[in-house]
Amino acid sequence: MLWVIALILLTVIMVVGIIAVRQYRLTQLRREIQNSYPIQSLTNKGELAAMVGLSTVELCWHWASIDSQVIDAANFSSTQDISSGFDFAQYIHHYVSDMDAESLLGFKRRLMGYVGEQNVTDLLIGQGHIVEVAQTSNQPVWDLLVDGQAVNVKTVQDIASIKAQALAHPDTIYLVPEDAVGQTGDNIVCLDGFNHEQLQEVTNQAVDSSMDSTDAVMNAASHLPIVPLLFSVMRNRKAVEQGRDKDVAVKHVILDTLGRGGGAGIGALIGGTVGTIAGPVGTVIGTALGAMLGGMFGQGIAEDIKQKPLEQALVKFEQQLQKFGATYANRLKRVLHILQQPYVRQQKALQQLNQLFEAKKNNIRWWFFPDFQSVLLEQTAIFAQQQVDKQKIILAKIEMQLTDAHEQQDYRPLGLVMLNVPHMREILGVDLMALRYLNIQREKVYYERSQLYPEQFPCKK
């Protein structure tokens, strides 16, 4: 069992490793995109929880759908307590799954015999008979007492196989399936509704599906994309109302379904298949864990694809910004001088306020009964000083950024200043064609952001 545990751990580590690498890449990418404007992630934990829950429910439903007569038959014939489909699956995993082909066939035949007894009991009770079931599964000669008559249930396909036994016990009625081959007579009777082919199918299906949960896992995996499809349709319907283009909304629905749903489905299939080695509990845990990790991985891929148009628009915008800023590279000192002018004006205004206030302070009234205008002037000077100090810090940061970027021949910050300060262009001049193209690129960036996050970036009409 050590290699099994090692295989499970290795699979989990590989999946988690892949997710961690991609998540790191996405985090770095989105951080770069958000530098100029904060962008909210669209991670939907409720959606992921719904997919994990659906995968677990699918498996539980699979075991719950095992025929109750098969469960009762297994419980009657075994020393184990088998009261549900999950118990039956556990029983098959522990006591049957390692049997060779011949032993497995024998087990199925014995179990089908007990299933036949359950089936006949239900049929006879439904017809109004009083039925007493044998206390033990190895009761000799008879299986049921029907209205006091000893009855032996034989789930056989060929009546000839039990004739010798029936002759040996003439006082016992032998009930055989309605589709059994051969002649009845004396104490051998066919019972309507007691069907060998149907019971064989029910028994084989219950045992085989409990030994191999592949069908259940595949059903869970195939249904998982429904969850992100529904969530995505609701999200994108609202986004269209907020301004997202319909063709972009359709694309996002497809990506969510294939990425999140497909990833969860594949993850559930892999995790469930590996977990099956540890039995039904392992199947549930493996499927749920696989659905969660696969959904996260697929979601990352889907979000990555959605971000591509914005990434491409940003790349083109920054390339043009670099060219635009480079045309002013030899006028950096002039740019910094112009940027300092508002600060210089604020300093002069503050100096004048302080002079006025000092004049007020020289008045004796200030020391004994300050007037409203003097107090107002004082508070205005204090507020102005705070604003000048803030402006000084901001200006120092801008100067440092522009200077450092200029030394590295990165002219994007300079281009951004020239783009966003119209009076700077009036003073220094501008290439109108370059400015027009840069504005077009900026509009494309905004458009792509509005398609990703219409609630934060209203679509411009």
Side-chain angles (χ1 to χ4, degrees):
M1 291 298 293
L2 290 177
W3 70 270
V4 174
I5 297 174
L7 178 61
I8 295 174
L9 289 176
L10 180 60
T11 302
V12 172
I13 291 172
M14 289 178 62
V15 174
V16 172
I18 293 173
I19 292 174
V21 171
R22 287 198 62 80
Q23 198 62 36
Y24 175 79
R25 178 175 178 273
L26 287 173
T27 301
Q28 293 297 105
L29 179 62
R30 288 169 185 162
R31 183 175 299 168
E32 181 179 350
I33 292 174
Q34 293 171 8
N35 279 339
S36 58
Y37 211 110
I39 298 176
Q40 181 180 358
S41 173
L42 292 180
T43 301
N44 193 320
K45 296 180 180 179
E47 182 176 343
L48 187 61
M51 288 192 290
V52 173
L54 177 61
S55 65
T56 304
V57 168
E58 284 274 3
L59 293 175
C60 292
W61 170 249
H62 170 77
W63 289 312
S65 62
I66 294 176
D67 193 284
S68 60
Q69 291 182 347
V70 177
I71 296 172
D72 292 340
N75 185 56
F76 180 68
S77 61
S78 171
T79 56
Q80 304 299 313
D81 183 16
I82 303 173
S83 58
S84 67
F86 184 80
D87 292 339
F88 180 78
Q90 287 274 54
Y91 171 75
I92 295 297
H93 173 73
H94 289 297
Y95 299 101
V96 181
S97 59
D98 292 333
M99 289 183 178
D100 56 39
E102 185 176 353
S103 299
L104 178 60
L105 181 60
F107 170 79
K108 288 181 178 179
R109 287 174 178 170
R110 290 191 300 274
L111 179 60
M112 188 171 67
Y114 294 117
V115 175
E117 292 177 14
Q118 297 292 327
N119 182 234
V120 169
T121 300
D122 293 342
L123 286 172
L124 294 176
I125 291 176
Q127 294 173 6
H129 296 284
I130 299 176
V131 180
E132 180 182 346
V133 181
Q135 294 298 313
T136 61
S137 59
N138 58 355
Q139 168 70 38
V141 184
W142 60 273
D143 302 313
L144 309 172
L145 290 178
V146 182
D147 301 328
Q149 171 65 52
V151 172
N152 194 312
V153 179
K154 291 297 183 183
T155 312
V156 295
Q157 195 170 20
D158 188 353
I159 294 176
S161 64
I162 65 163
K163 279 197 170 182
Q165 186 178 354
L167 287 172
H169 302 91
D171 296 330
T172 302
I173 299 297
Y174 285 78
L175 294 180
V176 296
E178 60 184 1
D179 56 343
V181 178
Q183 291 184 339
T184 60
D186 298 327
N187 58 337
I188 300 177
V189 180
C190 287
L191 178 63
D192 291 338
F194 179 28
N195 189 282
H196 179 276
E197 183 179 355
Q198 291 178 357
L199 293 179
Q200 186 177 45
E201 182 180 353
V202 167
T203 304
N204 289 342
Q205 183 179 10
V207 175
D208 293 342
S209 64
S210 297
M211 289 180 61
D212 182 5
S213 297
T214 301
D215 290 341
V217 173
M218 289 188 68
N219 285 336
S222 65
H223 292 164
L224 285 177
I226 295 175
V227 175
L229 172 63
L230 296 177
F231 272 84
S232 185
V233 167
M234 290 188 292
R235 269 198 309 270
N236 281 278
R237 181 180 179 182
K238 182 178 180 181
V240 168
E241 294 174 355
Q242 293 172 331
R244 178 175 292 168
D245 291 348
K246 291 183 179 179
D247 57 337
V248 175
V250 172
K251 177 183 176 182
H252 284 196
V253 170
I254 294 173
L255 286 173
D256 288 339
T257 304
L258 294 178
R260 297 176 181 178
I266 294 173
L269 186 59
I270 295 174
T273 302
V274 174
T276 301
I277 299 172
V281 174
T283 303
V284 172
I285 295 175
T287 301
L289 181 62
M292 180 180 67
L293 296 178
M296 292 172 59
F297 181 70
Q299 177 181 324
I301 294 177
E303 294 299 323
D304 192 13
I305 296 175
K306 290 180 189 178
Q307 294 279 347
K308 283 296 181 184
L310 177 57
E311 294 173 37
Q312 295 170 355
L314 277 170
V315 169
K316 291 181 180 179
F317 174 68
E318 291 183 353
Q319 289 174 346
Q320 186 62 22
L321 199 62
Q322 172 75 3
K323 293 179 182 179
F324 187 69
T327 60
Y328 297 94
N330 59 352
R331 287 176 279 181
L332 178 60
K333 290 184 179 180
R334 178 63 173 158
V335 170
L336 293 175
H337 175 73
I338 295 172
L339 287 175
Q340 289 172 348
Q341 293 310 302
Y343 173 69
V344 172
R345 289 194 295 270
Q346 288 179 356
Q347 279 187 315
K348 289 181 179 180
L350 177 60
Q351 185 178 6
Q352 291 174 356
L353 278 173
N354 286 330
Q355 289 174 351
L356 288 173
F357 179 60
E358 288 297 328
K360 290 284 186 181
K361 286 175 64 176
N362 292 330
N363 191 324
I364 193 171
R365 183 178 178 181
W366 169 258
W367 300 104
F368 293 99
F369 191 74
D371 63 287
F372 174 79
Q373 290 184 349
S374 298
V375 175
L376 179 62
L377 188 61
E378 178 196 38
Q379 295 303 310
T380 301
I382 294 173
F383 176 78
Q385 183 65 60
Q386 292 173 347
Q387 297 306 308
V388 168
D389 291 343
K390 289 180 181 179
Q391 187 67 21
K392 181 179 180 181
I393 294 173
I394 294 172
L395 184 60
K397 288 182 178 180
I398 293 175
E399 290 179 356
M400 183 174 65
Q401 289 175 353
L402 289 176
T403 302
D404 292 345
H406 185 270
E407 291 176 356
Q408 298 172 12
Q409 295 186 337
D410 179 5
Y411 303 116
R412 290 176 298 173
L414 180 57
L416 196 60
V417 169
M418 298 305 300
L419 177 64
N420 292 324
V421 185
H423 79 272
M424 187 84 72
R425 300 196 300 268
E426 294 176 2
I427 297 173
L428 299 179
V430 64
D431 182 342
L432 293 178
M433 289 299 295
L435 179 63
R436 180 174 179 275
Y437 184 73
L438 185 58
N439 277 318
I440 290 174
Q441 292 302 126
R442 179 165 63 173
E443 289 297 321
K444 288 183 178 179
V445 170
Y446 187 91
Y447 169 78
E448 295 300 341
R449 279 182 171 155
S450 72
Q451 295 305 298
L452 281 174
Y453 315 107
E455 72 282 1
Q456 296 180 42
F457 299 88
C459 187
K460 296 181 180 179
K461 302 296 184 181

